[in-house]
Amino acid sequence: MEEISDNSHNEIKPASDTLLVLNIHNNKIEMVQGVDEEGNLQKFPPEEKKENNPLIKVDKHGDIFSNFFSNFYRQLKNPTRFNFFKVSEYDALKTAKDLQQFVDQASPEEKEKLKDYAVSPKNTNPLKNKNTMENNTDNQEYRFQPEQIDWKTMAKFGLNQEKLEKMNAMDSLLRGYKTNTLIPITINLGTAVSKMDVRLSLQTNDSGEVAVNIHGIRREPNLNQKFLGHEFSDEDKKNLKESGNMGRVVDLVNPKTDEIIPSVISRDRLTNELVAYRAEYMKIPDEIKGVKLDEHQKQTLLEGKPLYLEGMISKKGDPFDATVQFNADKRYVEFIFDHNQNQQKSQQQSSQQQQQQQNNGEAPRIFRGKELDDAQYNKFKAGETVYVDGLTDSKGKSYQGYITFNKETSKTDFSFTNPNKLKEKAQAGEEHKTQKAVNTDGKTNEATKNVKEALEPKQQQPTSKQQEVQQKKPTRSQGRKM
């Protein structure tokens, strides 16, 4: 019988990567073991490296490391206290000692530059494709790379990388999000060809491969059935239909593991698909459009509730108010504008201002929410007719017309047609009145009653010598015979 040798001790195992950490408060380099249940970083100094102090091991594959480190970073209680560095486990001890020596001797500027070599959720897997990097200004994390996409499956849908880049869809796909817009695809079923608009996303399946997900359009979300174990209340349904966000955190059940996961739920406004997002992953900014959030406001958003903010500043520098809320589909805090409410508020304010100006006998500067420019206002307060557009009715439809300020009544007269043109038209009608009465209605004009020819437009007197002679001739009596 052939002897089987035991080569397990001599077996060469592939090297993994590990993490070193720099505590920015005490400038100490340590070796990472993991994160405990309370979110504390488990670590030890390099000089204590022993067999019973195993290092954390990370797969060298870019995408797997990206996903691992993102989850690892989220679990930390105070992640901003640390800078992490990915190194080979074989060189970790020597690298840690060398790095500590560098930190001890480095200037503040050199320590700051060291951050360029640290790993973070934003740069664990930088995108290599230049075409999609051109529009990437915020350097956010990319979960996937173009070469990982199943382009054979994409081709079956009539898509390729060039088409997706032209539709600006690659950036969101590679970040692990759904495409920002609907993508037209073609599905050939052999017996029939189907065309539809969908949103696409990428997801790593159980075998580690990147699969393409299709999110088709639904007529409406199914809110009468349980969603991952959650039964929607009437208030839940109302919120999802109106704002797209359910407005609270609920416990959902992972169908594969039966794990209870506190989550927020939103409706995909493009497809009407219901989307859940873990509450523990929700990130709330410290400031929104110039307004710093206090802890109570942040907690309101973390609970999935809407928050009304006043005094925000737009990109154009204009102040505005709006409701903000975390959206599970977009994975960030979004603006929710109530156009009807804003319009009513604007109209109410302009009406009050207009009424106050009228009480003072002044020509109002604002008419039905539309502010007149200097040229318009100068004509308007002088009593001239001014054309205004961009007015909005109660149903949100735009319209335009003419306004005139009546100085006697201090009121504004509105007309859909230019009143000056109407006046001219009315005057023209007076000039043609005699012609119509005589020629059409059979009436008599004393000044032209003996003229035999039909009257010309605007004619009220004889216009030629012949007509003057005719007019001067006496007419015979048309009395009745006795």
Side-chain angles (χ1 to χ4, degrees), residues 246-381:
M246 195 171 75
R248 63 189 179 115
V249 176
V250 294
D251 289 335
L252 301 182
V253 181
N254 187 323
K256 293 183 179 180
T257 64
D258 291 331
E259 177 188 3
I260 304 298
I261 306 173
S263 307
V264 290
I265 302 173
S266 295
R267 172 177 58 86
D268 183 333
R269 296 188 184 98
L270 293 178
T271 66
N272 280 324
E273 178 185 23
L274 294 177
V275 181
Y277 191 73
R278 287 175 177 258
E280 63 180 306
Y281 292 167
M282 294 170 64
K283 293 182 179 180
I284 306 301
D286 295 326
E287 181 178 310
I288 299 178
K289 294 295 184 181
V291 176
K292 291 186 178 180
L293 303 182
D294 58 33
E295 293 304 317
H296 176 72
Q297 291 173 318
K298 290 181 181 179
Q299 186 60 34
T300 298
L301 293 175
L302 284 171
E303 293 173 0
K305 299 176 183 178
L307 175 68
Y308 186 74
L309 290 179
E310 297 180 336
M312 290 180 287
I313 305 298
S314 69
K315 291 182 179 179
K316 296 181 179 179
D318 300 325
F320 71 100
D321 307 332
T323 298
V324 296
Q325 191 174 21
F326 190 89
N327 183 284
D329 180 44
K330 298 176 181 178
R331 306 182 195 179
Y332 58 75
V333 177
E334 65 172 352
F335 293 102
I336 301 176
F337 293 97
D338 188 342
H339 295 287
N340 293 331
Q341 181 177 348
N342 290 342
Q343 180 184 328
Q344 291 173 0
K345 183 178 179 181
S346 175
Q347 290 179 347
Q348 182 179 1
Q349 290 175 342
S350 63
S351 177
Q352 291 173 349
Q353 182 178 354
Q354 186 176 2
Q355 184 64 43
Q356 183 178 359
Q357 289 176 322
Q358 287 179 356
N359 293 338
N360 296 333
E362 300 176 8
R365 183 84 188 210
I366 299 175
F367 178 75
R368 297 181 185 176
K370 173 75 173 183
E371 184 173 0
L372 306 180
D373 59 34
D374 292 340
Q376 289 176 315
Y377 185 64
N378 289 335
K379 290 182 179 180
F380 179 63
K381 68 180 182 180

Side-chain angles (χ1 to χ4, degrees), residues 73-106:
Y73 197 82
R74 291 190 191 104
Q75 294 175 40
L76 288 176
K77 185 180 293 184
N78 297 305
T80 55
R81 288 178 51 194
F82 308 106
N83 288 336
F84 295 93
F85 303 90
K86 184 177 74 167
V87 297
S88 169
E89 65 172 322
Y90 290 150
D91 299 328
L93 186 60
K94 182 178 183 304
T95 303
K97 293 179 179 178
D98 292 342
L99 193 56
Q100 184 66 68
Q101 185 177 359
F102 171 81
V103 171
D104 291 340
Q105 300 175 355

Side-chain angles (χ1 to χ4, degrees), residues 443-461:
K443 295 184 179 180
T444 301
N445 174 33
E446 191 65 27
T448 60
K449 64 181 181 179
N450 294 328
V451 175
K452 297 179 180 180
E453 296 87 356
L455 298 186
E456 298 293 330
K458 300 182 182 181
Q459 181 179 351
Q460 297 180 16
Q461 301 288 338

Side-chain angles (χ1 to χ4, degrees), residues 213-229:
N213 291 337
I214 296 178
H215 306 271
I217 299 175
R218 297 158 174 76
R219 187 172 66 178
E220 59 183 18
N222 189 349
L223 302 177
N224 295 321
Q225 291 185 352
K226 287 187 177 182
F227 176 74
L228 299 177

Side-chain angles (χ1 to χ4, degrees), residues 419-429 431:
N420 292 335
K421 295 292 184 182
L422 290 175
K423 188 182 293 184
E424 293 174 3
K425 187 176 181 180
Q427 291 174 349
E431 294 172 348

